[in-house]
Amino acid sequence: KLLSSDWRGPAGRIERMIFENSRVSLADGVDELVIVPEGWLWYVPFELLPVSSARDAAAAEPRPLGEICRIRYCPTRSLAVLGFEAPRQTGPVGVHAARLADLADRGLVYRCDCPRSSMTPGMDGELFHQGLCRSRTIPDDTPHGLRIPMPDRDFAFTDLIAGPQVQNPFRQTGDLLARDRHGCFTYHFSCAVDDLDQGVNLVIRGQDLLASTGRQLALRELLTCEPERPAIPAVLSVPVFCHHGLLVDETGRKLGKRFLSSSIRKMRLDGETPESVLGLAAFLAGKTPHQGPLELALALKIFAR
């Protein structure tokens, strides 16, 4: 069992690894930190890294970085630095490209230049791709994406919250886009590859992604059925899935950065205490009849009911 203080030591070591030789001194009082993650930095919880700030010299212990300054993320340097033109990817690199090349060698990838406007509405409100490019020859110099034919059959799994599920990925969205015309790998393809390569056996995410689980299972099957590839342990063949509910606004739309929704970080910067944030969350979730500060120990008991 992970105690509330067990994470502080490893988090401190990660903070030193990243910032020890940096030209940026967090102790001098940084107002905003723009992070452009690369590689394993995508997995670092920067908001929780313990930092001693010169503004808070009287503090008994380092505070989480997310309480000291504003943090925002940019997927590319072109979004973080005005006028910077990101280099174009000129060749296949990384594990995602290698996995896609394996599928292409087996005839399981085809080029597609269909615009989104040519697609029809499918199940669950998603766009359906009819596979019209399967038999077409698209030249190298024509902008195109890469698609993987989806099997027209059911994939069954049991979600820890939603229960038994049966999905047919082809009838939902048609053939799956693995890499777009800009050379970027899609979410579903990246998830399937990453989960396999990292040995993920438990997937916890929002219920808005429940309908996409079948196509990721279909991709896992295609990625692991190659005779030359080492056998995947049975325990990893199909992960356990848990799709939880979402926080939504008054219109029913899920909260998100793209909609400029209020965040815990903003609430803390505006002066809200951790106890008041927990109390608000419990109230909005219907766990308490009234809104008010809530201690962590009591909040854990309330949300465990």
Side-chain angles (χ1 to χ4, degrees):
K1 182 179 179 180
L2 184 66
L3 300 177
S4 60
S5 60
D6 288 350
W7 60 274
R8 297 185 182 276
R13 291 193 291 272
I14 293 175
E15 188 274 335
R16 290 190 293 273
M17 288 173 57
I18 297 175
F19 295 106
E20 195 168 37
N21 298 316
S22 173
R23 288 178 294 177
V24 176
S25 176
L26 299 177
D28 292 339
V30 175
D31 293 319
E32 182 178 61
L33 183 64
V34 181
I35 300 171
V36 188
E38 184 177 4
W40 63 271
L41 291 178
W42 278 107
Y43 303 97
V44 175
F46 283 92
E47 290 84 353
L48 295 178
L49 296 183
V51 174
S52 297
S53 172
R55 299 175 180 172
D56 200 18
E61 59 182 20
R63 295 171 57 198
L65 181 58
E67 295 184 6
I68 295 176
C69 66
R70 294 184 297 275
I71 298 177
R72 62 183 178 94
Y73 295 84
C74 288
T76 63
R77 281 181 287 175
S78 60
L79 294 179
V81 182
L82 184 64
F84 177 86
E85 183 176 353
R88 301 284 296 178
Q89 180 175 319
T90 57
V93 295
V95 65
H96 301 88
R99 294 290 182 266
L100 190 59
D102 289 343
L103 294 176
D105 290 343
R106 293 156 52 198
L108 296 175
V109 178
Y110 67 88
R111 296 177 179 180
C112 174
D113 62 356
C114 295
R116 291 176 61 88
S117 59
S118 69
M119 302 180 193
T120 58
M123 298 174 59
D124 304 312
E126 298 188 70
L127 292 178
F128 181 85
H129 184 266
Q130 299 91 339
L132 300 177
C133 294
R134 286 192 188 187
S135 57
R136 296 179 57 213
T137 299
I138 299 176
D140 289 341
D141 57 355
T142 299
H144 62 271
L146 297 177
R147 289 190 180 273
I148 300 173
M150 287 285 96
D152 187 3
R153 64 179 180 82
D154 291 340
F155 285 80
F157 64 96
T158 299
D159 186 84
L160 293 181
I161 295 178
Q165 303 289 313
V166 178
Q167 297 175 358
N168 184 315
F170 176 76
R171 295 185 181 275
Q172 286 177 298
T173 58
D175 291 342
L176 186 136
L177 184 67
R179 198 182 74 181
D180 65 22
R181 62 183 60 206
H182 303 293
C184 299
F185 293 99
T186 62
Y187 169 79
H188 298 301
F189 182 76
S190 298
C191 278
V193 171
D194 291 345
D195 288 353
L196 277 171
D197 279 23
Q198 298 172 22
V200 173
N201 57 11
L202 173 61
V203 177
I204 302 176
R205 57 192 179 192
Q207 62 186 17
D208 56 326
L209 293 170
L210 176 63
S212 65
T213 305
R215 70 201 73 161
Q216 293 181 16
L217 292 177
L219 282 172
R220 288 177 69 93
E221 184 176 277
L222 293 174
L223 290 165
T224 58
C225 69
E226 186 178 1
E228 295 82 6
R229 191 176 301 283
I232 301 296
V235 69
L236 298 180
S237 58
V238 177
V240 175
F241 292 98
C242 178
H243 290 82
H244 57 76
L246 301 171
L247 292 176
V248 297
D249 60 19
E250 58 275 6
T251 67
R253 184 177 62 182
K254 71 174 184 178
L255 301 183
K257 294 179 181 178
R258 73 178 70 177
F259 308 124
L260 301 179
S261 304
S262 181
S263 65
I264 294 177
R265 184 186 307 121
K266 184 178 184 304
M267 294 173 67
R268 295 288 287 116
L269 290 172
D270 289 343
E272 296 286 349
T273 66
E275 292 76 18
S276 63
V277 173
L278 287 173
L280 176 61
F283 174 70
L284 294 178
K287 298 290 186 177
T288 55
H290 307 287
Q291 181 181 342
L294 194 62
E295 295 290 337
L296 176 60
L298 181 56
L300 291 174
K301 294 179 180 179
I302 289 176
F303 279 99
R305 293 173 185 170

